[in-house]
Every structure is written in C-alpha cells, then in structure tokens.
Amino acid sequence: MRVTVIGTGYVGLVTGACLADVGNDVLCIDNDAAKVAWLKRGEIPIHEPGLDAIVARNAAAGRLVFSDAYADAVGHSTLIFIAVGTPSGEDGSADLSHVLACARELGRRLERDSVVVVKSTVPVGTNDQVRAAIGHELKQRGVAIRVATASNPEFLKEGFAVEDFMKPDRIIVGADDPRAAETLRDLYAPFNRNRDRVLFMDVRSAEFTKYAANAMLAVRISFMNELANLADRLGVDIEDVRRGIGADPRIGPHFLYAGVGFGGSCFPKDIRALMYTADEAGESAEILAATRRVNDRQRRILFERIGTFFNGELRGRTVALWGLAFKANTDDMREAASLALIEALTDSGAVVRAYDPVAQVNAQRLLANNARVQFAASARDACAGADVLAVVTEWLEFRSPDFDWLAQTLKARALFDGRNLYEPAQVRAAGLHYVGIGRGRT
C-alpha cells in the first residue's frame, strides 16, 4: 500500500519506518526542513534501538521517503496518518493546534477520496474536529470528495517501540466509516498472521482507550510508590511485596516497580489532559488527581533522603548521578526525574556530577545554565570526588557495579538507589550506606 505519515517525531518516524519494513511505500512529511534534511542523510533525531537500521534499510530500498511539502503528501497516497505532537496547554488540556493545522492543510490540497487516520494522542472528539476542519477547507474550494477519518492510537514504549510496532499485543482502530475500517484492516494484515490483533470500535472509544491505558499504568506506578513509602516506615521490603502481588494473574508483574516517579512525554501529559477532560465533563477524577500528587511528591524522594543523610547540609557536597533520561533505552529528557533532583540539589548548594550513556547531549542542552552541574565521561568518572551516588535511571550498565570500588571512592560511602536495582545486603556488605525506595528503611 501507499501510505503518507505526517510528523517525523517519535510516533511518526517509528510508524513510517515499520510500515515500510513490511513492504509499504511510505512518505513521511514534516514541516521542519532541517529535520527532513537529517533524515534524508540517514541521521535519526531520536534514540530508539533498532530504528536507525530500519530507516536505513527502507530508505535504501526506496520504500521510505522524506519530504517537507504537503503537496507531496496528498499526491503520494489516499491513506494519510496524522502523527504530530499534542503538548500540554497551561490548563492541562491537550494542545490540538498541530493536529488541526494538518487537517486544514490536507483540506486545502486533497483531490481524491481519502482516509485520514489520527495516530496522535488526542482527547475524545478530536476526530470530529479533524473531519470538520477538512470539510470546511474542501467546501471553501468547492471540492466534493469523501474523506473518512479514523482513530488509531499508538501504544509504543520508548526503548521498545520498534518491537512494539512489529509485534503488537493489540491494534486499536476506531472507525465509524466501513471504508476506513477495511483500509486499516488491510494495512495491518501483515501483523496479524498468527492471530487477529485488531480491535475495532467507534472513534470516540478508541480516542478514550489511549488515555485510559496510560492512566491505568500511571496509577499502578503511583500506587506502588505510595506503598513503598509506607513500607519504609514499617520495615517492609517493597521488592518482596512486588513479587508477591505480581504473581497474582489478576494483577500481573508489569508497572509495579517503585522508584522516583514517572516522567517522559506521555504519562504526565496524558494524566493532565484526562483530568482536564473529566473536569470539562463535570467529573472529579479523584484517582487521577491522587496519582499526579503522589508522582509529584515522589520526584523529590531522593533529594529528601540525601538531605536527611547530610542533616540538611548539602552546600559543598558533591553528588554523583547515574542516569539522566526519564527511563533506560532512550535519550528522552522530558519530565525526567533527574531534572527535579538536579534542580533541588544545586539549589541547595550541592554540585552534581552526572553521567548517562545516551541522554547526555540532551541533558547538557537543558542544563547549560546550571554551573553546579558537571558531566562525566563514564559512570566511574562521575564518582570521582563525589560524596555519595544517586542512581536515577535503570540503564543496563548500572546493574552490577563494583561496590567495593564505590566504597573506596565515595567520600561519604553512601548509595541512593532510586530504581531499586541492588540488594541492600550486598551493598552494605561492601561498607556502603544503602537507601532504596521502600526497602525497609526505618
């Protein structure tokens, strides 16, 4: 099939590349000419394992092409995906300006019956607005063609997006038009060979499903963080509790890890957007509000525990920090817990020596004006001259450090484990003071 994808951000680029990899002829459009130039040179603007190889392979085969011209978009295909950003507005609502701008641009150019699919994360009713925007422009031009819209939200985990797209556990399609439904069924046929993963529903339900999924996962994280803080007071190890409840098939093991709170481009934004939607609809969304409060508090937990260790005297102290990205296997710094920790530490007079194997360049750009932040060349280099170590991101290379070396290197001989990567007894046996999240600290 011939497919157009508008937007070459995280969702759009993965979508376009993976659709091309199963044989489709894909054109990716972006209004950022510089980004398009990078992509044409084979330079990938995001870190996503495996994506660079897929882009290179399909670009070389001629199945994946990049352009900054909307005229190319409508000329290439009658199946067009909108995959642009929907950032939070000041009131928490999803900013649909980019989505609706795409709809208007399409309405000004479409000449054939088409299917427009919204893949961006959008609130309920957005497809109605997209259809209206396209229809308005077509009417202004006096063009009488049929344009169906559909919702096809993404469920991609950063760091595993290629695998998630190629081997999806479900494909949600919201379509009120039979032609749109059949078009998307055909498109996703290569991903359904051993079982049908496509779940068809009405458009509004599909829009809502995306928010409901992210909200549920965020709730689980905040729930475990709240239990972890209680576990610390009760002398309970939350890791044992996690394994115990995760073994229950009604609960399952995923998203039960206590830590320093969730971040990234999805959960915080989508929680705010869903709360805004609930408020507009006259519902209170108390669980969502509590989830957000718990997460905001959890982002300060390591700072508070480091401060307690030093009796509130952080000025002149140096904290080694392992991990800057909001999670492993990505360079995404959006709403990363590391930023909150760094701000609190440096505002209190501490120096931070930070290291991340992938996100360092993005972090340097964000923290360029903070003179108290130093960037190290390696995990060990970050510990040089440091008093204590704080682990914020669960990168693989941090999983099995030399604790004896850390005990000899860290001047205050303390390790703050924000991801519960280590066994407390093993760390303490090396002579280090250990503080985790919910590991039984009294």
Side-chain angles (χ1 to χ4, degrees), residues 74 77-80 110-116 145-149 177 179-180:
V74 298
S77 171
T78 58
L79 174 57
I80 303 169
L110 287 170
E111 298 287 351
R112 300 175 287 172
D113 291 354
S114 300
V115 175
V116 176
I145 58 174
R146 292 177 57 213
V147 178
T149 63
D177 183 290
R179 183 168 56 96

Side-chain angles (χ1 to χ4, degrees), residues 128-376:
D128 295 338
Q129 296 183 56
V130 167
R131 191 162 49 249
I134 294 173
H136 174 76
E137 296 298 334
L138 291 175
K139 186 177 180 180
Q140 292 289 103
R141 294 167 53 210
V143 174
I145 58 174
R146 292 177 57 213
V147 178
T149 63
S151 174
N152 177 217
E154 53 84 16
F155 296 93
L156 307 177
K157 300 185 297 292
E158 290 196 42
F160 300 91
V162 170
E163 181 181 354
D164 287 346
F165 197 100
M166 301 304 285
K167 298 178 180 179
D169 46 23
R170 82 286 203 198
I171 300 168
I172 301 296
V173 173
D176 299 327
D177 183 290
R179 183 168 56 96
E182 286 306 308
T183 299
L184 289 170
R185 182 185 291 280
D186 292 344
L187 178 71
Y188 285 117
F191 306 94
N192 287 318
R193 293 197 67 189
N194 63 347
R195 67 178 176 86
D196 190 356
R197 293 174 169 84
V198 180
L199 301 177
F200 287 98
M201 58 188 70
D202 66 88
V203 169
R204 296 173 75 86
S205 295
E207 292 171 332
F208 195 66
T209 296
K210 168 63 177 180
Y211 279 107
N214 279 357
M216 174 63 78
L217 298 176
V219 167
R220 284 170 70 100
I221 294 170
S222 280
F223 176 72
M224 288 304 293
N225 281 333
E226 189 160 75
L227 290 186
N229 295 337
L230 177 59
D232 271 333
R233 294 183 179 273
L234 299 177
V236 170
D237 189 340
I238 198 65
E239 283 294 287
D240 289 338
V241 175
R242 176 184 64 79
R243 288 187 286 268
I245 66 175
D248 186 330
R250 297 170 301 174
I251 298 172
H254 302 296
F255 288 84
L256 295 181
Y257 291 86
V260 289
F262 56 78
S265 64
C266 294
F267 288 2
K269 172 179 72 72
D270 293 350
I271 285 287
R272 288 192 291 268
L274 193 52
M275 288 175 64
Y276 178 87
T277 297
D279 185 62
E280 288 290 292
E283 289 292 333
S284 57
E286 295 176 15
I287 292 176
L288 296 179
T291 297
R292 185 180 177 188
R293 286 197 303 272
V294 169
N295 195 62
D296 289 344
R297 182 183 67 198
Q298 202 69 14
R299 288 161 64 84
R300 290 185 57 83
I301 197 79
L302 278 191
F303 168 70
E304 292 170 356
R305 293 183 178 180
I306 293 170
T308 298
F309 178 77
F310 285 117
N311 297 313
E313 295 296 328
L314 288 169
R315 187 167 298 281
R317 298 292 184 178
T318 298
V319 178
L321 193 150
W322 284 1
L324 291 161
F326 88 93
K327 61 178 283 189
N329 298 316
T330 182
D331 60 354
D332 196 340
M333 290 293 300
R334 285 174 289 186
E335 305 217 28
S338 63
L339 295 177
L341 176 59
I342 289 170
E343 181 181 16
L345 287 171
T346 56
D347 283 351
S348 298
V351 171
V352 173
R353 286 185 54 79
Y355 168 72
D356 189 287
V358 170
Q360 198 126 310
V361 172
N362 288 344
Q364 287 174 329
R365 185 173 62 253
L366 291 171
L367 297 166
N369 295 325
N370 192 331
R372 291 185 174 275
V373 180
Q374 303 168 3
F375 291 95

